[in-house]
Structure formats: C-alpha cells, structure tokens
Amino acid sequence: MPRPAEYENLIKTKAFEAVAPTPGAILGFLRNAADYKVTAEQIDPTRHLQVFTLAYEGYFQVVQAVLEFYEVRTKDAGRNLAIQRVSSSLGVSPQEFAFITKAHERRNGTFYLSPFPPVSKAEAATMLAILAKYLPVAHTLTGTP
C-alpha cells in the first residue's frame, strides 16, 4: 500500500516516523473508538463534559487507526499534527475541522493545566456526531470490517 505524499513528507521532516504495522492494531483502535461512541451515547445526556470527552477520545482512536494503516506514528509532532493530517485524510469538512481543532486545544489546554471549562449540550453533541460520522469512514479507508 503506497503511503500518501503528505505522510511521506511528514516522515522526511521527522514529524512522523515510519513503523512496521502491529498486527490487530487497526481493528483494536477502531473497536476502542466504537466503545467510546457507544458509551457516550448511553450515558446521561446531561453529562455534557463526559459525552464530549468520550467522543473526543473516540475520535483520537480513529486517528490512531489511520496512522497505523499508513504505518506511521507521531515523532516530533504530537496529537495536534496527527489529528490535522488524519482529519484531512478522512475528508473532514472545514467547519468540522475547526471544531475538532478547538476541541483538541481545549482538551490539552485544560487537561494538563486547569479544570475543564463547561461544555455545552451542543458541543457534546457535535463531537459525538463527528465521531459517529467518521468512524465508518475510517473503517472504509482502512478496509477494516
């Protein structure tokens, strides 16, 4: 499977590194994403922070699955670049991309430094909708049932 040029360029700049595939990893990441999604859908919908966080973490499992598919891992780059690159590969819309980027910044800016600010019902629903929309796209992209 040829790796797209964008991933090759990130390897050349040492942002990503080429790796040997880990048997079962793609399926494992996608199962985790599905589990996060199901859990987010089943918990009390008034728990906006928990729904948002579960959906965000589920989306990152999708990101990890696609990175594994292309046999790369982040090196000098972190989650942010991985999320950006994979979101583009999945065909995320500009509006969704802006939301995902903001969600990532919010998660990182608060997860390590301060309490998470309140999350609205709309934000939680949007993150969950993004996960629900792109999980099947990742299955198709990776050829994983």
Side-chain angles (χ1 to χ4, degrees), residues 36-50:
Y36 276 116
K37 177 182 166 291
V38 167
T39 304
E41 291 169 338
Q42 291 177 347
I43 64 171
D44 179 351
T46 64
R47 302 200 53 158
H48 307 140
L49 172 61
Q50 290 73 21

Side-chain angles (χ1 to χ4, degrees), residues 66-127:
V66 174
L67 292 177
E68 183 69 25
F69 175 71
Y70 287 126
E71 299 178 7
V72 297
R73 298 233 194 331
T74 59
K75 190 174 176 183
D76 292 342
R79 271 187 179 213
N80 191 39
L81 184 58
I83 290 168
Q84 290 174 8
R85 177 66 259 143
V86 170
S87 292
S88 180
S89 295
L90 293 172
V92 169
S93 75
Q95 297 83 5
E96 291 165 329
F97 182 76
F99 183 87
I100 293 165
T101 300
K102 183 178 177 185
H104 172 72
E105 290 170 2
R106 203 166 170 196
R107 182 236 184 231
N108 271 14
T110 58
F111 196 77
Y112 301 111
L113 305 175
S114 66
F116 213 98
V119 173
S120 72
K121 178 180 180 179
E123 290 169 319
T126 299
M127 192 71 240

